[in-house]
Amino acid sequence: MAMFAQFCVAEFHFTPERTGRLLSYVPFVRMVGQGLLVNPLVRHFPEAFVIRMSCFVVAFSMVLVGNATTELDLYLTLLPLNLGGAIAIVVISGLLTRAVPKADTGGVLGLDHAVLSFANIIAPLVSSHLYDRYGFVFLGYVGAVIAGITWLGTCALSIGDSTPCLTQLRWRVQSSLRWAMKPAPGTDGNE
């Protein structure tokens, strides 16, 4: 978010007050999506479909954000972007927890959040470099490509309901957990 604030100042000449307002708007939109929209969506649609549509909305919105020219454009394009992202994160976390035995739920949620934290480390480093070289619009296209690849991945995991997705996810998560929890070489794992 810190880099996004820099982009807003550079591209839209935001004052500190306007930047603060925008940076409060983004988590508010996410909170609404996670708190009010996830449950009705997963009750009416298969989870795999919700994830695919969320990724599609994020990809489409990234192009719109990159092409925003006014403050209003930015607010309007950030709405679907953050709703889609927030919904996808919650539904994916739910699928992950069901893909492992109850005893491994904490481990899988830890890995899930570690991946999100890693993305939050890498994104500002990469985006600042891309912004300096290619500009704000290019960031929107790069984000759209990444979200599009994620969308294609979710389509490859499942067609129809989330059962095939859950089966594949269960295998991948369990093998990752076994690898992550494996004792270090030279130890018996009881230390």
Side-chain angles (χ1 to χ4, degrees):
M1 287 303 282
M3 282 309 304
F4 187 67
Q6 294 286 336
F7 300 144
C8 290
V9 170
E11 292 295 318
F12 299 98
H13 310 291
F14 275 21
T15 62
E17 179 185 341
R18 287 168 58 203
T19 303
R21 193 175 8 190
L22 183 69
L23 293 179
S24 293
Y25 170 76
V26 168
F28 176 78
V29 169
R30 288 181 185 166
M31 180 182 68
V32 168
Q34 292 170 337
L36 299 178
L37 298 179
V38 170
N39 196 33
L41 286 171
V42 297
R43 285 181 186 267
H44 291 31
F45 302 102
E47 290 169 320
F49 175 79
V50 173
I51 293 169
R52 283 195 301 271
M53 288 303 101
S54 295
C55 291
F56 178 79
V57 167
V58 168
F60 182 72
S61 299
M62 287 300 294
V63 173
L64 296 176
V65 169
N67 287 287
T69 56
T70 67
E71 186 174 353
L72 180 61
D73 289 347
L74 195 58
Y75 274 88
L76 291 175
T77 58
L78 284 173
L79 180 67
L81 173 68
N82 284 286
L83 285 175
I87 291 167
I89 286 170
V90 171
V91 177
I92 289 169
S93 293
L95 281 173
L96 286 170
T97 60
R98 287 199 323 273
V100 297
K102 285 190 186 272
D104 294 334
T105 300
V108 78
L109 284 175
L111 287 173
D112 179 33
H113 286 61
V115 168
L116 289 173
S117 294
F118 181 71
N120 286 327
I121 292 168
I122 298 300
L125 298 171
V126 172
S127 63
S128 61
H129 174 72
L130 293 175
Y131 177 74
D132 281 344
R133 279 192 82 130
Y134 305 107
F136 187 70
V137 173
F138 188 74
L139 290 178
Y141 293 119
V142 169
V145 167
I146 292 169
I149 290 169
T150 305
W151 177 76
L152 288 173
T154 61
C155 289
L157 277 177
S158 161
I159 298 174
D161 68 23
S162 59
T163 306
C165 181
L166 195 57
T167 304
Q168 292 178 35
L169 191 59
R170 181 174 289 124
W171 178 82
R172 285 185 175 93
V173 168
Q174 287 174 342
S175 60
S176 296
L177 279 175
R178 280 192 298 276
W179 177 82
M181 303 299 183
K182 184 171 56 174
T187 67
D188 63 4
N190 293 325
E191 299 173 8

